[in-house]
Amino acid sequence: MFNMATTAFLPKNLTGALLLVGVLSGCTMAPTYVRPEAPVAGSYPAAADGKAQYDAAELGWRDFFPDQRLQALISSALENNRDLRTAALNIEEARAQYDITAADALPNFNGNFSRTRGRTASDQLFPGQPAVGTAYQVGLNMTAFELDFFGRVRSLKDAALASYLATEEARQSAQISLISQVAQAYLTEQSYAEQQRLAQQTLDSRLDDYKLDKMRFEVGASSALDLRNSETLVQSARVSLATLARQRGQATNALVLLVGKPLGDLPAPQALSDEKIVSEIPAGLPSDLLNRRPDIRQAEQQLRSANANIGAARAAFFPTISLTAGIGNSSTSLGSLFSAGSRTWSFVPQLTLPIFEGGRNRANLSLSEIRKNLAIANYEKTIQSAFREVSDALVARGTLDEQLAAQDAFLKAQEERVKLTDLRYKNGIASSTDRLNAQRDLFSAQQSLIQTRQLRLNNAIDLYRSLGGGLNENTVTPKS
């Protein structure tokens, strides 16, 4: 057994070398990291109206989505969605890889005990008789520990750490995306559900009208054309009903996939016209996105990793110094293994100097520099894409409210048109074709209003997501 007193047997040069490890590990040949300038304008092309008390990145998704049915769906998706689960496992994988790389910066010690028995040839011994011997050895060894004079191991460790942090940012980005996808899939399913109910009501109403038109035709009060026009309205409603049933079923399947399990018992849904989704979110400045958006932070960590790899590639041009050492006891008998005079030690420093490697090191350095340039381009593109997403959402927000108001007014005008056309038709002034066109336009206007409401709510979700909202769940304190 060994105790702290064993260190007294270490040679002075080995002890000094180990004491240098802490100092040497701080050296690196990686370029000094400088964050690239954001390649976007200082403000968005559309102003962010409203005086909200929260930033999107701080506003919890339960506050942004007050619909209890939607909250239950999002909560289930965060727990069961396989893509998000994969992202979490990727974090664990990156953390394990970082731990492996970080372990290279520390010396590895191994304890060993061996018993050797062998025969020595007679011509190697005096007076020429063969001999059979046994040897016992016990010790503590340090194998090929690299003294990181030029920061190769340190650079690899920094690169692995940045890769791990990038993976964590990727998981957060996946969560934000998942929440917005669940919310929009929910709105899509609800939109189809409302349109399906509208189509069913329209079909029932047109069937009643068709029965009356058929009775009028049978008594000679209307023409065959009038009856066929009425039948056309019925069949058109049936086509719409069948189409919407299929679309709603597919939208439900998409929602189930995102949630990760069957929907089960959920609170009753709200009508799209009753949705209270927060849309008064200040956009702030584009520079805020650098800290709000995890996909931008992920791209920056990937850039840091590429920058650190340059340091490892540069260090490969310089000598590698490693130490192998051991202390222990050796004896020909087990009983005297720890007796006086059985102590042994070894100290083997090794220097490896690259002389000719066929241009491998130079190519590796060139490759690491190219990868850094690619990482810079990816970082800048990620910022530009985020800037565009926010700008698009702001532009849409500025017009969708006006579009919704116009669509609502258009529907009311269509309803009055249908009433007047029906009255004129019953009085024999308007034709059945006029009534057919008026009812078709009314049904189309009713569907368009539902779709516009969905579009406006989707825009609120897009803005919330593009500004980095969706990581927090609980309520935050409003800004003063």
Side-chain angles (χ1 to χ4, degrees), residues 2 33 37 52 111 116 120 126 147 188 227 238 329 349 379 401 406 478:
F2 290 91
Y33 175 76
E37 293 292 332
T116 305
T120 304
F126 182 84
L147 296 179
T188 300
L227 181 62
R238 284 178 174 168
N329 294 71
Y379 173 70
D401 286 339

Side-chain angles (χ1 to χ4, degrees), residues 193-209 233-234 237-238 240-241 244 415 439 442-443 446 450:
E194 291 191 15
Q195 292 180 67
Q196 185 180 5
R197 289 192 292 270
L198 172 63
Q200 184 64 59
Q201 295 170 0
T202 301
L203 176 60
D204 294 340
S205 176
R206 290 179 180 179
L207 282 172
D208 293 339
D209 291 342
L233 288 174
V234 171
R238 284 178 174 168
S240 297
L241 184 61
L244 290 167
E415 291 173 342
Q439 291 185 347
L442 174 62
F443 181 63
Q446 290 170 329
I450 295 173

Side-chain angles (χ1 to χ4, degrees), residues 230-242:
S230 181
E231 183 180 4
T232 299
L233 288 174
V234 171
Q235 300 306 327
S236 175
R238 284 178 174 168
V239 171
S240 297
L241 184 61

